[in-house]
Amino acid sequence: MSLPRYNRYQDSGTDWLKEVPEHWNLRRLGYYFAERREKVSDKEFAALSVTKNGIVSQLETAAKTDDGDNRKKVVAGDFVINSRSDRKGSAGIASQDGSVSLINTVLTPVAGIDRGFVHHLLRSVAFQEEYYRYGKGIVADLWSTNYSEMKAITLAMPPHPEQSAIAAFLDRETGKIDALVEEQKRLIELLKEKRQVVISHAVTKGLDPDAKMKPSGVEWLGEVPEHWTVAPIGSRYSVQLGKMLDSDRITGDHLRPYLRVFDVQWGSINVVDLPEMDFDEDARKRYSLRVGDLLVNEGGSYVGRSAIWQGELEECYYQKALHRLRPHNPQRDQVDFLYFVMTFATQFGVFIAGGNQNTIDHLPAEKLRRYRFGFPRFDEQLAIANHLRQVSERYERLIAAAEEAVRLLQER
């Protein structure tokens, strides 16, 4: 967007402002804002959260502190900013009275200041960078900026009518951009849903729309093609849980790299800076990885998340939080097909207690072995896997394009 320039400019004397319109006033922040330091209780003043989306009512699910009777008062129209540098961007004008954590700085604008303009000015990337530059602390990225330092920051203030005009312009333009961002986000969700529908149908109904169907005997699986075999995973694949962490994990004589839950994402495996643990000869035989092994997350909030080991390292092992699935007969079962089965089962909530994706659960080996799915012949498994790989890649490209559009819109 190209905006017209003013006729005359002045040097602000600061690196963050550089040149500003000649008729704008240059003064310290402390001239325009007083600090509100009144301590209150959240029993009398509603708890508010300071977020990157502004000042909002504190959610019941938000992390709480024990400072209920030792908080800062906020009055509608105050500007609040989180003083910690790891919360950069968390700031805004309060639309209601309330209370915030003591880590926040509460500013009260003086008369003659347009609060809409202040909201945009003090939330701007340039100001935020300047603000946290004044911070103090021992640990990098955890510095805090106090009002005593903040008040020295130079601001450039236009006349009040111009402040209002700028605020209205920004509200209008950012509103348009926000609407476009929401459209792209809805598109991303729709693409993900469509991709999942295609995967779910292919691994439960196959690719032939005219195939005769039969009851699977599994309630959530429904009907499957008549010629498919419905069988427990354990009858088709060996399921081996990884090695438990022990006191010798970094001091043994046979240190080897191993994978953690963090390293196994959907469809990809991290092999950079892997930790090491002691694997003696028996453990190396039991927990080794070979090309084509399917790694499945055993517990926590990522139950069922899977990826196929492609031999990224010559030698690698895995810890107890992961299962290794390996076909009993590689001429009968194709691991890429099972990967998409796991994608379907995870998205469908098969492995989650009561089908509730928010329930933290575990997937023990014995339980995983008992889960029953439909298995077509090897050639059909291969055809389904190839089809889904192509479809997934196409959807990934569309999703990536939409995500890039969101990034560019947010940057704008």
Side-chain angles (χ1 to χ4, degrees):
M1 178 180 293
S2 177
L3 297 174
R5 287 180 56 81
Y6 289 86
N7 292 328
R8 300 175 68 86
Y9 287 81
Q10 60 178 317
D11 183 359
S12 69
T14 66
D15 290 335
W16 85 276
L17 286 173
K18 298 182 173 59
E19 285 190 334
V20 299
E22 188 179 52
H23 64 288
W24 288 21
N25 289 323
L26 291 166
R27 293 185 183 275
R28 303 287 188 186
L29 182 146
Y31 177 85
Y32 296 106
F33 298 92
E35 183 184 19
R36 190 185 298 279
R37 300 178 60 87
E38 184 179 348
K39 301 289 181 63
V40 295
S41 167
D42 59 5
K43 295 176 183 177
E44 298 177 10
F45 291 84
L48 304 176
S49 292
V50 183
T51 75
K52 291 185 178 181
N53 293 321
I55 314 305
V56 299
S57 297
Q58 191 176 78
L59 298 175
E60 286 301 317
T61 55
K64 304 293 195 302
T65 62
D66 295 325
D67 61 356
D69 293 319
N70 191 25
R71 295 169 64 83
K72 285 185 180 178
K73 181 180 178 180
V74 174
V75 174
D78 286 348
F79 184 86
V80 189
I81 185 169
N82 194 306
S83 66
R84 276 182 37 166
S85 58
D86 63 331
R87 300 292 189 271
K88 188 178 295 185
S90 297
I93 291 286
S95 61
Q96 65 183 93
D97 295 355
S99 64
V100 294
S101 170
L102 297 179
I103 196 64
N104 301 290
T105 298
V106 182
L107 302 176
T108 301
V110 300
I113 298 294
D114 184 280
R115 283 169 166 76
F117 179 78
V118 167
H119 177 78
H120 289 292
L121 172 63
L122 300 192
R123 280 170 53 86
S124 67
V125 173
F127 175 81
Q128 295 279 324
E129 292 297 329
E130 179 71 1
Y131 169 73
Y132 289 110
R133 190 175 68 82
Y134 281 75
K136 295 179 180 179
I138 300 174
V139 181
D141 296 329
L142 284 177
W143 296 346
S144 293
T145 304
N146 295 323
Y147 176 74
S148 58
E149 289 89 26
M150 179 187 194
K151 67 181 183 181
I153 298 174
T154 299
L155 298 180
M157 284 289 185
H160 191 272
E162 194 172 346
Q163 292 178 34
S164 300
I166 290 173
F169 167 79
L170 290 176
D171 287 341
R172 184 173 62 252
E173 293 303 313
T174 56
K176 293 177 184 177
I177 292 172
D178 287 343
L180 291 173
V181 167
E182 287 306 309
E183 284 183 12
Q184 291 299 312
K185 288 182 176 179
R186 285 195 296 271
L187 174 60
I188 290 169
E189 291 307 309
L190 180 62
L191 289 168
K192 289 179 178 179
E193 288 175 10
K194 285 189 172 183
R195 178 182 60 187
Q196 192 53 43
V197 167
V198 173
I199 292 173
S200 299
H201 188 275
V203 300
T204 59
K205 311 301 179 188
L207 302 178
D208 181 3
D210 299 321
K212 291 184 178 181
M213 310 298 285
K214 67 178 180 182
S216 67
V218 180
E219 183 178 356
W220 50 263
L221 188 56
E223 291 189 331
V224 298
E226 194 174 58
H227 62 286
W228 285 23
T229 300
V230 178
I233 285 180
S235 69
R236 318 275 295 204
Y237 286 81
S238 67
V239 179
Q240 175 63 59
L241 196 59
K243 187 177 187 295
M244 181 181 293
L245 297 180
D246 55 49
S247 59
D248 294 331
R249 63 182 182 271
I250 59 173
T251 59
D253 297 326
H254 310 93
L255 295 179
R256 298 291 190 278
Y258 68 93
L259 300 177
R260 304 153 295 181
V261 168
F262 163 81
D263 302 308
V264 179
Q265 301 294 319
W266 275 115
S268 66
I269 296 177
N270 168 64
V271 294
V272 178
D273 295 328
L274 293 179
E276 291 187 334
M277 179 164 48
D278 186 74
F279 289 86
D280 60 22
E281 185 176 354
D282 289 341
R284 290 198 297 275
K285 289 179 181 178
R286 187 173 187 181
Y287 303 114
S288 64
L289 292 173
R290 69 170 70 150
V291 175
D293 285 342
L294 181 68
L295 290 160
V296 179
N297 195 307
E298 182 271 343
S301 56
Y302 308 101
V303 172
R305 189 171 66 190
S306 307
I308 299 173
W309 178 253
Q310 304 290 355
E312 291 87 344
L313 295 177
E314 184 176 345
E315 185 178 8
C316 192
Y317 304 87
Y318 61 105
Q319 72 169 91
K320 188 177 180 181
L322 297 168
H323 294 293
R324 182 197 66 202
L325 275 64
R326 184 178 290 170
H328 292 311
N329 183 352
Q331 280 71 49
R332 183 183 63 173
D333 287 303
Q334 216 275 339
V335 73
D336 291 79
F337 172 78
L338 186 62
Y339 167 77
F340 286 111
V341 169
M342 299 301 292
T343 304
F344 151 71
T346 303
Q347 293 296 323
F348 199 70
V350 172
F351 302 131
I352 305 296
N356 182 1
Q357 292 284 2
N358 296 320
T359 302
I360 296 177
D361 204 354
H362 289 273
L363 186 60
E366 283 304 316
K367 187 176 180 181
L368 178 57
R369 293 187 186 103
R370 290 195 299 268
Y371 276 105
R372 300 170 70 217
F373 295 99
F375 293 92
R377 296 183 301 270
F378 181 87
D379 58 341
E380 192 173 352
Q381 289 186 33
L382 185 60
I384 290 172
N386 287 338
H387 169 72
L388 291 180
R389 194 177 300 109
Q390 293 172 7
V391 168
S392 294
E393 288 174 356
R394 184 164 66 250
Y395 276 107
E396 284 300 326
R397 288 194 296 270
L398 293 172
I399 290 170
E403 289 175 339
E404 176 64 8
V406 169
R407 187 191 68 79
L408 292 173
L409 285 167
Q410 290 174 333
E411 182 180 292
R412 184 174 181 81

